[in-house]
Amino acid sequence: MTSSSLSRLRAGLIAVLLGLTVSACGYNTIPTAEEQAKAKWADVQNNYQRRADLIPNLVATVQGFAKQEREVLTGVVEARAKATQVKIDVSQLSDPEKLKQFQDAQNQLSGALGRLLAVSERYPELKSNQNFLALQSQLEGTENRIAVARRDYIEAVRVYNTTLKTFPGLLWAATFFRNNKPMAEFAANEGAQTPPQVKF
Amino acid sequence: MPRLGWQRHIAAVIVALACTIAAAVALTFPPLSGRVVDQANIISADVRSAIEVKLGDLEAKSGIQLVVATVASLEGQEIEPYANELFRHWQLGQKDKNNGVLLLVAPKEHRVRIEVGYGLEGTLTDALSKVIITNAITPRFKDGDFSGGISRGVDDIITALTTDASEWQARPALRLDFQPTDKMINLLIAFIVIAIITGMIISPGFRWFMLNVMIDILLSAATSGSSSSSGGGGGFSGGGGSSGGGGASGSW
């Protein structure tokens, strides 16, 4: 065996070893968990958007039967406008302030929607309107999807943050993934445990 | 600093472990023993076997897994999260299509829910699910006729799922269109093998690369092989589908 083929063998062995260590010791865990959490966040945002998309139709339907409830109706329209303005880019997920802003805007919309549905109880004709019933069940379904998406996101963030803080992810976080910050946790307050009930 | 740092990490591990355990023991689900899981014992025997036949037909025709479940208790949970977690636990529907549906009845809590997998949200919409619950199911439940309500509910769900036939009838044809012939596959494999051998003869770097790839494949096969056995037992099992909370709930 010549010396050149020996050194080639050694270089090859090192390459194999390096490849094995890197994939076996969880080099991929951090990016995988990060992408997972980001995807779950997209679900959360999509479901909130879906709720926002239902509102114009709902407001129009209620308006047809209960024009005098102007205050409640404009409350919903304004809260919706505010909520759709606050969008979070996936790169901002580590910013608790931004997340709180999003949360507050959506909570306000939830409150306004709750008032609208409470008010609609007073109008028997509206309550038995087919279009209104369909919208209500869609809204109910969307609230439930939001709850599920939030639960999934909270879990994905927990996994990602734990990976960053525990062995062996800790080592990768300290070396190759120094820019990866833990993601802000969604306060598991209203809606996270039990979906808001839309009674009718 | 280092000492305190390590303590904090250990604490984090303990907290994380505690969370996983807490999540795991949160709810106990009945096993998926068949297409009808009647834990609460409210469905009569003849209705049950009739429903099982219909559900089997549905899956044979369209691939949709519809499962009826009654539970003795929701264990203090609301029906929506309970149904979602049960759906995911049983993995109803095919993995790539998420075409499962769960009709869950909790007689003790007087709650009923149709939980719809991701793939069927467009066919069995929330509004449609609600209509089925309020028209077909809850009026009969109010009179104590659980078998009748569930039977009618199943009929209506199947009608809703199969009336829009264009969606699932078109699929086999599409699949046939894209089926490449055996000859084409053989040619492709031969080409790849020749390319790899040529590469290995010409370049020593490529040789090492291939060795690396091979070992990686073997290693990942060895580590993932143990976890790939699913369900089994020869009976009925979920296909790996998931749900994102679509559907509707009702009470009586």
Side-chain angles (χ1 to χ4, degrees):
Chain A
M1 244 188 200
T2 64
S3 72
S4 90
S5 79
L6 245 178
S7 75
R8 217 192 281 161
L9 187 75
R10 208 180 305 142
L13 273 177
I14 288 169
V16 171
L17 227 105
L18 213 68
L20 284 180
T21 355
V22 163
S23 61
C25 287
Y27 177 84
N28 294 333
T29 333
I30 290 177
T32 310
E34 188 185 13
E35 288 314 310
Q36 192 73 27
K38 282 178 179 172
K40 295 296 176 200
W41 172 254
D43 280 349
V44 170
Q45 203 147 264
N46 284 345
N47 280 311
Y48 274 118
Q49 183 57 46
R50 185 184 177 137
R51 175 169 82 165
D53 291 342
L54 283 173
I55 289 172
N57 219 334
L58 184 72
V59 167
T61 308
V62 175
Q63 217 159 18
F65 292 86
K67 251 195 192 76
Q68 56 273 47
E69 305 289 351
R70 179 157 302 157
E71 201 181 320
V72 179
L73 285 163
T74 49
V76 171
V77 172
E78 276 166 17
R80 176 187 181 271
K82 251 183 232 156
T84 44
Q85 269 167 18
V86 186
K87 284 237 165 63
I88 299 187
D89 190 76
V90 283
S91 60
Q92 300 168 313
L93 283 176
S94 51
D95 183 357
E97 265 310 298
K98 195 81 188 156
L99 209 63
K100 195 176 171 306
Q101 255 178 36
F102 181 86
Q103 181 109 309
D104 287 348
Q106 295 296 350
N107 283 350
Q108 248 179 13
L109 180 53
S110 300
L113 269 175
R115 278 191 290 282
L116 180 72
L117 291 169
V119 159
S120 52
E121 284 290 307
R122 288 187 226 138
Y123 300 85
E125 254 181 274
L126 171 64
K127 264 172 64 183
S128 57
N129 177 270
Q130 283 302 319
N131 194 18
F132 182 67
L133 285 175
L135 279 167
Q136 243 181 347
S137 54
Q138 280 171 315
L139 189 61
E140 201 179 30
T142 304
E143 295 284 7
N144 188 46
R145 282 192 187 84
I146 290 173
V148 171
R150 285 175 58 118
R151 223 168 42 221
D152 288 350
Y153 174 67
I154 289 169
E155 175 61 17
V157 167
R158 190 187 64 72
V159 168
Y160 172 67
N161 287 352
T162 312
T163 314
L164 284 185
K165 285 176 195 152
T166 51
F167 187 83
L170 179 67
L171 298 179
W172 298 114
T175 49
F176 289 95
F177 299 110
R178 238 179 269 183
N179 293 327
N180 283 44
K181 289 196 193 73
M183 287 182 190
E185 284 173 41
F186 231 153
N189 64 357
E190 64 85 38
Q193 303 305 324
T194 52
Q197 290 296 310
V198 185
K199 293 270 183 240
F200 48 104
Chain B
M1 160 63 198
R3 182 161 296 234
L4 214 153
W6 280 110
Q7 277 167 355
R8 217 177 331 157
H9 292 311
I10 291 166
V13 175
I14 291 168
V15 168
L17 267 176
C19 287
T20 0
I21 292 163
V25 298
L27 292 169
T28 50
F29 297 121
L32 182 59
S33 49
R35 294 178 199 278
V36 178
V37 179
D38 188 16
Q39 193 195 43
N41 214 1
I42 52 171
I43 308 175
S44 67
D46 51 332
V47 169
R48 183 194 167 122
S49 49
I51 293 175
E52 274 170 348
V53 171
K54 282 180 203 163
L55 300 183
D57 281 353
L58 177 72
E59 188 174 357
K61 246 194 289 179
S62 60
I64 295 169
Q65 272 189 338
L66 169 56
V67 167
V68 176
T70 71
V71 289
S73 155
L74 294 174
E75 299 175 8
Q77 182 72 279
E78 289 286 335
I79 196 164
E80 287 87 3
Y82 187 96
N84 183 251
E85 280 175 46
L86 180 61
F87 190 109
R88 290 180 174 189
H89 179 71
W90 282 350
Q91 308 191 331
L92 303 182
Q94 286 146 304
K95 194 178 165 68
D96 51 338
K97 289 188 190 143
N98 292 308
N99 51 356
V101 179
L102 173 67
L103 172 60
L104 178 68
V105 182
K108 199 181 122 205
E109 286 85 358
H110 286 247
R111 300 278 285 154
V112 55
R113 175 162 181 83
I114 298 175
E115 177 87 7
V116 181
Y118 284 116
L120 294 174
E121 285 182 359
T123 321
L124 187 58
T125 57
D126 298 352
L128 206 49
S129 308
K130 188 82 200 179
V131 168
I132 292 172
I133 286 173
T134 45
N135 291 346
I137 300 179
T138 49
R140 287 178 177 79
F141 281 9
K142 260 185 205 136
D143 300 337
D145 180 15
F146 288 109
S147 294
I150 290 171
S151 178
R152 265 304 293 275
V154 166
D155 286 347
D156 285 6
I157 292 171
I158 292 176
T159 310
L161 289 172
T162 51
T163 305
D164 186 12
S166 56
E167 219 212 335
W168 54 271
Q169 273 178 349
R171 273 187 197 136
L174 271 177
R175 235 182 281 134
L176 280 177
D177 278 351
F178 283 97
Q179 208 89 73
T181 60
D182 282 357
K183 214 175 164 187
M184 278 162 67
I185 293 173
N186 284 343
L187 259 166
L188 195 72
I189 291 173
F191 178 77
I192 291 171
V193 170
I194 291 169
I196 289 174
I197 292 172
T198 324
M200 281 166 79
I201 291 169
I202 295 172
S203 146
F206 187 73
R207 235 174 300 170
W208 288 121
F209 170 73
M210 280 311 294
L211 189 64
N212 229 324
V213 168
M214 240 103 105
I215 290 173
D216 257 20
I217 289 171
L218 281 178
L219 208 78
S220 62
T223 48
S224 67
S226 54
S227 63
S228 69
S229 62
S230 65
F236 175 69
S237 68
S242 185
S243 154
S249 326
S251 46
W252 68 89

